[in-house]
Amino acid sequence: MAETSEAQRAGYNDTGLAIDLGRSSSPSSQHELPLLAPLSHDHPLLRSSQPFDVDEFLLSRPNMSLHDLRFELRSFLGELKEELVQLINDDYAAFISLSTDLRGEGARLERLHWPLASLKGEIQKSRSELLDVQAAVQHKLAERAALREKKALLQLLMKLSDSVVRLESLLMISSPQDSVAGVSMTSTDLANVGMRDGGGLSIGLQLTGADDDNRDDRSRPGQAKHLARVATEYTQLLYHAQKARSEKCAFVEEVQWRIERIKSTLSRDLDHLFSHTLLALTSSSVENATSTDKARWMADLTECLRTYDVLRSWRDAEEVVRRDLVLPFVKSTIFSGALTVAQSPVLVRAGLENSKSGLMSPRTPFTSFLGPKFNPFESANVASLPLLPEEEGDVLASLYNTILRFVQVNCLGVMELAEKVSAKSRKENMKTLNLAGLTQLSTIRDSSEANKEEFDVLGNVIWTEIGRAIMEELGSVVFAVGRPADFQKNYVTTDNFITALEHMSPSLHCVSKMRAHPIYISFQRRWQLPVYFQLRWREIVGRLEDILSGAMPSSTVEEGFATPQASAVYHAVQSCWSSEIYIPELGHRFWRLTLQILSRYNAFLEETLPKRQNVDNSLSTDPTYSESRVPTPSLSGNSSQDSSAADEVMLKQFASTILDIRTLQQRVNDLWQREIGMLMPETPSDGDQTQSSEDILRESLEPLTSRIPELSSSIMQALIRRCVETLGLVRSIPSQYRAMSKKRDPTEPSYFVATILQPVRHFLGPGGPGESLSAEFGHEWTTSVFDAVTTRYTSHLNNMKKTEDSLRRYKKGKKSAFSLFGGGSSRDEEEGKDEDRVRAQMGLDVEALGQDALAMGVDVENNEAFKTLKLTAMQSGE
C-alpha cells in the first residue's frame, strides 16, 4: 500500500501510465489519453518485491513499437549499470580496509582460549559437589517421609487396635488380655470361648454366668443407642482395617478374627434387640402398654433400622422380619388346603372391629400415601384398611383379607420406618454425590445402584413370602385357566389384593421396587392370559357364529332389535366388556375382538341381504313413462300374489335390518360411554396421526350405517312398485261410463283409490314391518312414494287424454257430412256428458288420493306433483 501510494504520488497508475496531476477532473479532460510512465525504480511493474511479468509489461505499452521498446530498455539498463558502479565506488575503501583491520586478532583469540580448560574443570568439580549435596538432602527427605509413613501406619494400627479393644469392651467380649489375670488358656479353652490360636472366627461363643447377666442387660433402655454407637465405631474400624490392609500389614490378618467376632456379636445383639422390640410392638399385649413404653419401643425400632442401614445389613433386618413375623403367619395361613377350610380370623387390636366399612371397590388404584407423622402401630389408624368385598362362598377373598389385616397390623409399621430411614439415606447420598462434583449421568447411575442396596420390606419379605406361598401352595387352584369363569374371578380378586397391598405401601418407590421383584414377575407370568382369551374368544365367537349360520336358533331377542342375529352381535360385544369376562391386561385383545364382531355382522348382511334390483329411475320421475310398461293388475293371479309375497318378505327384511343397525349403533355408543371408554387402555400417541379409540369405533360402525340409505331407497322403490300397480285401473274409467246403461253423475271416488297408498299404510301402520321406523323415516318414505304415485298418476292421465283425443278424431273422420235422421247431435251431446262424468270422477279420485295422503302426514297443499295432478285431472276430457 505504501509503494502504491508513492507511485500514485509520483504520477503513475497501476498500469504504469503517467497521470497528469495538475489537470482538473473536468468532463473534457477525462477523454485525454494517458502518458507512458518512464522506466525507473518507482515503476509499478519493476518493483523488486514482486516477480517481473513480461506479458503485463508489454500490455502496458500497447502503442509502442519494438524498436522504441528495445531502445527504452537499453537506456534503462545503462542507467542501472551506472548506479551499480557508483555503489561499488562508494563502499570500495571500506572493503579494502577490512583485511587490514583484522591483523593480530588470531593471537588475541589464542590467548583467550588458554584459561577456558581450567574454568571448565572447576565448574565440573563444583557441579559434582552440588550433586552430592543434593543426593544427601534427597536421602534425608526420603528417610523422613518413610518415617512419617511408618508413624502414620503405626498410628493407624494403634487406632485399629484401640478400636478393636473398645468395641470388645462395648460389646462385653472377652479379649486375649484376660489371660494375664492368671488364667492360662489352651487351644481347647480358646475354642470354648469362641477364639482360635491363629485367628479365624468361631460363632459359638460360650458365656459364663456373668456374661449371661450382661447379655440379658443388653435389652435395657438405651441399648439401641448403645448399639448405634457401636455400629459407628465399627464402621471406623472397617475403614482403618481396609486402609491398613492396602498397606499389606500383617497385623490386620492377626486381628481379623477379632473383627469378625465383633461383627458377629454386633449383628447378634442387634438382631436380638430388633426382634425383641418388633415382637413387643406387634404382640396383642401392646394395647395394655403405657404410652412411654410404646414411644420407647418406637424409638428403639427406628434406631435399630438406622443401625442396620449404617452397617449396610439391610438383608439381616429383612430376615428378622421374615423369621419373626411373616413366615409363621404365611405357614399357618397359606397352605394347600387353605381354600377348602374356613379362615380363622386374625387377632387384631381395637380399630379393626368395624373395618367392613372400608371395603375396596374392584380396580381401586393405590392413592396418596400416609403422611410422615403416621404411626402405623396406633390402633386408631388401623380402621382405614382397604379390604376386598367378600361374597358368600368366596374363600379366596376371605384369605386375602386375612393377609391384608395381618400386613396392616403387624408389618406396616416396619415398612414405614424402614422407608423413612432409606429415604433419608438416599437424600444424604445424593447430597454427597453433588458435593463430589460428579456429572449428572454418573450421579443418576450411582444413585440408582445405591437404591438397590436399601430396605425393601414390602418386596423382599412380605410379597416374596406371600407370592411364593400362593404359587407353590395354591397355584393349582388360583391359576387354573381351564375354568374361565373361576379363573377370571380369581384374577380380579388377586389383582385387587395386590392393589390393596400397594395401597399400604409407604411410597411409590416401594411399589415400583415390588413390581420389579423377580417373585412379582414370576407371579404375573403364572397367569395364562393368552389361553384365557382364546377360551373366551371361542365361547363368544362360537355362539355368535352358530346364531348367524342358523345352526343354533335363538328364541330370545333383546328389546329394540328385530332379529336374533343382531341381538347376538350386541350380546357378543357386550360380553367382551362385562365384569364376568373382561380383564384389563387383555383390553387391547377384547377391543380388537369387538371391531371384528362388528365387521363380521357387516359381512353377514352382505351375504344375506338380497342384491338391489335394477329399478328404472323413470319409475318415479319420468312423466312420459310408457303405459304399456305397467302390468295389467290381476287381483287373483298367482304371479301377482307371488310378487306381493316376495315384496312383503323383502320389505320386512329391509326394515328389520335398518332397525337392527340403528339399535346396534345406539347400544354400542351407549356401551362405549358407559363401559368401554372407561375400561379401554390408553393408546400410545404418535403425534397428530394417531386416531382415538372412539373414532375407530365410529369408523367400524360406518359400513353398517352406510347401508341405511341404500336399504331405505330399496324400501321406497318396493312401495312405489306396489302402489303404482293399482293405477292401471285408471284406464278403465272412460270405458266404464260409456258402457253404463243407466248413466249418472259420479258422487264418490273409485273403489281402487283407497288401495293406492294402502301398501304404505300397511307397512308403517300398527303391526307393520316399518312401525318402529315410522318416527324416523315415515314422513320421508310417505312423501317420496306419494310424489312417485302422483307423477305416475299424471302420466296415466296424460296418456288417457292422448288416447281420447285420437279416438275423437277418428270418430269425427268416419262421420258423414249429412244425416238423414238427424241423430248425430244427440250422440255428440251424450259423449260430451260422458266426458264430463269422467272428468268429475277423476277429480273425485284425485281429491280422495290427496285426503288419503294428508291423513298419512304428507303436505299435500305444497306438493308440486299433486298440484300438477289436479291440473291434469281438470283438463282431461276437454
Side-chain angles (χ1 to χ4, degrees), residues 378-645:
E378 292 293 336
S379 303
N381 296 319
V382 182
S384 60
L385 172 64
L387 296 177
L388 304 181
E390 296 183 19
E391 299 178 359
E392 185 177 358
D394 194 352
V395 185
L396 185 61
S398 177
L399 174 64
Y400 286 155
N401 283 334
T402 303
I403 298 173
L404 290 175
R405 292 188 185 98
F406 167 77
V407 174
Q408 175 77 4
V409 173
N410 299 309
C411 302
L412 186 57
V414 183
M415 288 193 296
E416 289 283 348
L417 297 178
E419 178 60 22
K420 290 180 182 179
V421 173
S422 297
K424 184 177 181 181
S425 179
R426 285 196 300 268
K427 185 177 180 180
E428 292 177 354
N429 290 337
M430 291 296 296
K431 186 182 298 183
T432 304
L433 292 174
N434 293 333
L435 292 177
L438 299 180
T439 60
Q440 183 178 4
L441 181 61
S442 62
T443 301
I444 295 174
R445 187 187 302 114
D446 294 339
S447 61
S448 62
E449 293 177 357
N451 289 340
K452 297 179 181 179
E453 297 295 333
E454 60 183 10
F455 291 110
D456 186 14
V457 179
L458 179 62
N460 291 339
V461 180
I462 299 175
W463 173 250
T464 298
E465 295 300 328
I466 294 175
R468 184 185 292 113
I470 293 175
M471 288 189 292
E472 294 177 356
E473 302 294 339
L474 306 177
S476 60
V477 179
V478 176
F479 303 104
V481 73
R483 300 185 297 272
D486 295 340
F487 177 85
Q488 193 269 348
K489 183 178 180 181
N490 293 340
Y491 181 86
V492 172
T493 304
T494 305
D495 190 67
N496 289 335
F497 163 70
I498 296 175
T499 302
L501 199 61
E502 292 174 347
H503 178 83
M504 289 188 291
S505 176
S507 68
L508 290 174
H509 179 70
C510 295
V511 174
S512 61
K513 291 183 66 176
M514 188 191 79
R515 292 180 178 179
H517 199 277
I519 297 296
Y520 185 89
I521 297 174
S522 300
F523 189 88
Q524 294 297 332
R525 289 177 178 174
R526 287 291 299 272
W527 299 106
Q528 303 178 30
L529 296 181
V531 178
Y532 169 78
F533 177 77
Q534 290 297 327
L535 294 176
R536 288 300 192 182
W537 183 91
R538 187 179 306 172
E539 175 186 342
I540 295 172
V541 175
R543 184 176 183 276
L544 177 62
E545 288 296 333
D546 290 341
I547 295 178
L548 293 181
S549 62
M552 185 180 70
S554 176
S555 58
T556 59
V557 179
E558 291 191 19
E559 183 180 358
F561 290 99
T563 61
Q565 289 80 10
S567 177
V569 169
Y570 175 71
H571 179 72
V573 173
Q574 190 180 27
S575 299
C576 294
W577 305 95
S578 65
S579 58
E580 292 79 13
I581 295 178
Y582 178 75
I583 288 180
E585 283 69 20
L586 297 175
H588 289 94
R589 298 195 179 193
F590 281 113
W591 172 245
R592 184 166 59 249
L593 178 58
T594 300
L595 301 181
Q596 291 174 350
I597 291 173
L598 296 177
S599 177
R600 177 65 183 92
Y601 182 59
N602 183 51
F604 168 76
L605 294 180
E606 185 70 24
E607 295 172 359
T608 56
L609 287 178
K611 303 299 180 182
R612 183 177 180 181
Q613 298 180 359
N614 296 324
V615 181
D616 193 354
N617 293 331
S618 63
L619 184 67
S620 58
T621 58
D622 190 2
T624 62
Y625 186 80
S626 177
E627 186 179 352
S628 61
R629 295 179 63 180
V630 180
T632 302
S634 177
L635 300 179
S636 61
N638 293 331
S639 62
S640 178
Q641 292 179 357
D642 294 341
S643 175
S644 177

Side-chain angles (χ1 to χ4, degrees), residues 97 416 438 657 707 719 741:
S97 63
E416 289 283 348
L438 299 180
T657 303
R707 293 181 177 273
L719 292 176
S741 57

Side-chain angles (χ1 to χ4, degrees), residues 122-177:
E122 293 178 0
I123 292 173
Q124 290 180 350
K125 181 180 178 181
S126 300
R127 184 174 179 273
S128 62
E129 293 176 355
L130 290 174
L131 290 176
D132 293 340
V133 173
Q134 182 181 2
V137 172
Q138 291 293 339
H139 179 68
K140 291 294 183 181
L141 292 176
E143 288 180 352
R144 290 187 178 183
L147 290 175
R148 283 195 300 269
E149 292 178 358
K150 290 181 179 180
K151 180 180 179 181
L153 182 58
L154 288 175
Q155 291 177 350
L156 178 63
L157 295 178
M158 291 177 64
K159 291 180 180 179
L160 179 60
S161 178
D162 293 341
S163 296
V164 171
V165 173
R166 188 182 306 110
L167 286 172
E168 289 177 342
S169 175
L170 291 174
L171 294 175
M172 293 176 287
I173 301 175
S174 59
S175 61
Q177 287 78 5

Side-chain angles (χ1 to χ4, degrees), residues 106 189 208 238 262 464 589 637 642 819:
D189 298 329
T208 62
L238 293 180
I262 291 172
T464 298
R589 298 195 179 193
D642 294 341
S819 176

